[in-house]
Amino acid sequence: MSRLTFAGAAGTVTGSRFLLEHEGVRVLIDCGLFQGLKNLRNRNWEPFFVDPASIDAVVLTHAHIDHSGYLPRLCELGFGGPIYCTPGTLDLLQILLTDAGHLQEEEARHANKYRYSKHEPAVPLYTRAQAERSLAQLTSVPYQQSIDIADGVSASFTRAGHILGSACVRVQTRTESIVFTGDVGRPSDPIMRAPEPLPAADFLVTESTYGDRRHPEETVSDELEKLVVDTVKRGGTLVIPAFAVGRSQHMLHLLAELKVAGRIPALPAFLDSPMAITATEIFCNHPEEHRLSAQQCRSFGDWIEYARTTDDSKAIDRRMDSMIVISASGMATGGRVLHHLKRFLPDPANSVLLVGYQAAGTRGRSLVDGADELKIHGAYVRVRARVVQVQGLSAHADYAELLDWFGASAIAPRRAFVVHGEPSAADALRRRLSERFGWAVEVPNDRSVWDLTALREVT
Ligand SMILES: [Zn+2]
C-alpha cells in the first residue's frame, strides 16, 4: 500500500512537502519553507509532522526556498538520509541554503535589536552553519537517470524548464508511479529550455500557480524600455527586486539586449546581490539547460556592474544620478533590496519594477496592491515612487501552457492532485483538467492523507 500526505503547498503556494510512504519506506518530495503571511511562516516552527529520522530520503524538484528551505531544519531535527537533486540544483543550493541561514540569523538579530519580536530573545529557524552542514547530504543525479531510493522504490528527473536544475520527479513503487511536477516553466521562455513532456504515471501532483490566469501577450522588453526611459526622464532610479536565481539572469539578458539595440541609454546599472552574481556564474556553467550562448553569458558583466561587497551596495545608495539597480529578494521579503527600497521609495522620480508572482503577505504584494507605506526593518517607509508590475517574465507556465504540455505528454493519471496554488487557481485548474482530459482531479486539503492503492482519502 502507498500513502501520500500533503504537508504543505496545499491551499497555498509555499511550503512544498509531500510524503510518499510505501511498505515502510518514507520519501519526502520537496522540503520547502513556508513564506508570506505570518500564520504561514509560523508553521516553520511547528514540530515536523513525522519524525524526521524516520524519513529514508528527500527528493527535490528544484532549489527555490519554498521547495528546499526547510532542509537544514529537517537535518537538525534528525534526518540523516540522502537528499537527491539534479546537478544544477545542487550548485544553486550551495548559495541558496547558506543565504537562507544567513537571512534567518539577520532577521533574529534585527528583531532583537529593535525588539519587534514577541519572542525574547528571537532565535533563527536555523543558522548559516546548520545550513552548510545539511549540504553534505545532497546527492546529485542527472536527468533521466534512475535513483534507487530503497528496495522497491526508485525515482527519476525530467527537465521542468522553470529555473536552472528544475525537474519533475517520477517515483516508481512496486504498485504505482507518481509524477510530481514541482514548478513548471514556460514553453517559450527567452532563456530556459522548454519543459520536457511528462512520462506516463498512475498519479500526478501538479502545481497551479497560474491555474486561473493566462500570461499577457505583452512584450516585456517594450515595457522595460518604456520604464527605463521614463524614469531617466524624471531623473530617477529604477529598482528591480528580483529573485537571485532565474529572474536576475532574465533581467540582465533583457537589459543587455535593449542597450545593444540602443533602445535604452547607457546609464549606470548594478546587480547588487552576491547570490545573484554567483547564480549568474552557475547559470553560465550549465549551458545544456538554457538557450544563451557563451558569448551572451560573458557579455552580462560588460555593462552591468556587479556589487559584491556591502560597501559596494551602500555606495549605490549614495549616488545621485539615474541608474538601474537589480537586487534580491524578488518579493522584497529580505536581502539588500530592502535598503534600496528604503532609499528610493519615498521619491516620486524613482520607479520600482516588480517581476512575476508576488505572494500574499510579502512587501512585493503590498506594493502591487498600492500600499502607501511599507514596513521595513521595523519602521514605516512612504511609497511615492512609481510601482509597475510585469507578468510576462513569469517562470511559471499559465494554465493554457500547462494543459498543452499535459496534452503532449504520455501521462493519463488515475487521479490528479492540484497543489501549489491559491485556492481559486487550484480549483480553476482542477476544472480545466477534468473538462479537457476527463481525469479524476482533486484539490487535496492541507495535511490530508491519501491511500493511493485504494484511491481514497484516509484522513
Ligand atoms: Zn520555483
Side-chain angles (χ1 to χ4, degrees):
M1 165 180 149
S2 295
R3 292 205 319 174
L4 182 59
T5 304
F6 295 89
T12 168
V13 295
T14 64
S16 275
R17 302 165 183 183
F18 311 110
L19 183 74
L20 183 66
E21 293 167 283
H22 177 74
E23 295 173 6
V25 178
R26 284 182 157 168
V27 185
L28 186 68
I29 290 86
D30 279 348
C31 186
L33 209 61
F34 288 99
Q35 296 172 306
L37 297 168
K38 192 159 220 163
N39 62 343
L40 273 176
R41 283 183 282 131
N42 285 342
R43 282 189 61 182
N44 295 319
W45 291 93
E46 291 174 5
F48 203 66
F49 67 103
V50 291
D51 177 8
S54 71
I55 297 171
D56 295 275
V58 175
V59 185
L60 294 180
T61 61
H62 65 293
H64 274 150
I65 288 299
D66 58 325
H67 294 257
S68 72
Y70 191 79
L71 281 172
R73 181 84 174 171
L74 192 79
C75 296
E76 212 51 38
L77 295 174
F79 170 67
I83 302 162
Y84 296 107
C85 62
T86 65
T89 297
L90 185 136
D91 284 353
L92 289 176
L93 285 174
Q94 313 283 331
I95 50 171
L96 284 174
L97 285 184
T98 43
D99 182 73
H102 171 72
L103 285 178
Q104 302 276 358
E105 287 185 53
E106 287 250 288
E107 213 168 282
R109 237 193 322 270
H110 225 97
N112 288 326
K113 189 167 166 193
Y114 297 101
R115 303 188 174 282
Y116 58 74
S117 170
K118 285 188 206 82
H119 309 281
E120 287 282 343
V123 290
L125 186 66
Y126 52 84
T127 63
R128 188 190 170 106
Q130 288 170 330
E132 277 166 1
R133 268 206 296 282
S134 71
L135 295 173
Q137 285 165 251
L138 295 176
T139 304
S140 84
V141 183
Y143 293 108
Q144 309 290 357
Q145 200 168 298
S146 180
I147 309 163
D148 286 323
I149 291 175
D151 194 26
V153 183
S154 61
S156 59
F157 296 121
T158 52
R159 193 180 62 238
H162 167 64
I163 58 163
L164 193 78
S166 65
C168 301
V169 175
R170 183 179 186 276
V171 183
Q172 178 73 56
T173 71
R174 281 204 182 83
T175 39
E176 57 272 297
S177 51
I178 306 108
V179 161
F180 299 85
T181 67
D183 289 351
V184 182
R186 306 189 62 190
S188 52
D189 188 279
I191 59 172
M192 294 306 295
R193 288 175 65 198
E196 274 175 77
L198 287 175
D202 301 310
F203 296 93
L204 170 70
V205 178
T206 178
E207 72 129 318
S208 61
T209 313
Y210 286 90
D212 56 351
R213 274 169 293 170
R214 295 282 337 247
H215 294 310
E217 293 283 331
E218 74 185 356
T219 324
V220 176
S221 294
D222 294 347
E223 291 265 318
L224 189 59
E225 173 189 2
K226 207 164 147 296
L227 192 59
V228 172
V229 170
D230 286 353
T231 308
V232 170
K233 259 189 215 151
R234 297 196 304 270
T237 282
L238 171 62
V239 179
I240 308 175
F243 293 108
V245 174
R247 291 314 85 183
S248 288
Q249 289 75 48
H250 208 143
M251 294 311 300
L252 289 174
H253 173 59
L254 290 179
L255 287 167
E257 276 197 327
L258 287 172
K259 165 143 172 305
V260 167
R263 291 168 62 186
I264 57 171
L267 71 168
F270 301 92
L271 178 62
D272 181 23
S273 158
M275 196 164 58
I277 294 167
T278 310
T280 305
E281 288 158 1
I282 293 171
F283 180 86
C284 292
N285 289 339
H286 287 271
E288 70 285 359
E289 286 191 54
H290 61 76
R291 304 178 196 262
L292 302 190
S293 67
Q295 165 60 28
Q296 280 172 308
C297 269
R298 271 196 303 274
S299 70
F300 284 161
D302 291 351
W303 162 44
I304 293 161
E305 226 175 286
Y306 290 175
R308 293 179 192 266
T309 67
T310 318
D311 285 343
D312 293 343
S313 177
K314 286 179 177 162
I316 295 171
D317 286 348
R318 285 195 295 271
R319 296 178 68 116
M320 301 305 285
D321 49 347
S322 280
M323 52 188 170
I324 300 170
V325 184
I326 306 169
S327 187
S329 73
M331 299 190 212
T333 48
R336 289 184 181 178
V337 77
L338 293 184
H339 298 281
H340 302 308
L341 289 174
K342 262 204 265 191
R343 159 76 171 85
F344 295 107
L345 274 177
D347 184 345
N350 301 323
S351 306
V352 177
L353 175 65
L354 292 150
V355 182
Y357 185 80
Q358 302 292 319
T362 62
R363 294 188 188 86
R365 178 66 157 264
S366 301
L367 284 174
V368 169
D369 289 346
D372 49 20
E373 55 183 15
L374 212 58
K375 198 172 181 185
I376 300 177
H377 299 149
Y380 286 95
V381 176
R382 286 288 300 274
V383 178
R384 299 185 68 215
R386 193 172 155 216
V387 176
V388 176
Q389 185 185 29
V390 285
Q391 293 287 5
L393 284 180
S394 174
H396 289 267
D398 65 24
Y399 73 79
E401 292 166 342
L402 276 178
L403 291 176
D404 287 347
W405 179 58
F406 291 131
S409 296
I411 198 159
R414 287 154 63 196
R415 188 76 47 112
F417 298 95
V418 179
V419 297
H420 202 282
E422 285 176 4
S424 56
D427 195 58
L429 188 64
R430 176 190 65 75
R431 267 186 292 110
R432 290 190 169 105
L433 285 173
S434 73
E435 274 163 24
R436 174 137 163 205
F437 302 113
W439 295 348
V441 192
E442 306 281 347
V443 177
N445 286 321
D446 190 22
R447 304 174 214 229
S448 65
V449 181
W450 290 74
D451 177 339
L452 296 182
T453 314
L455 266 180
R456 63 186 172 83
E457 187 174 352
V458 286
T459 55

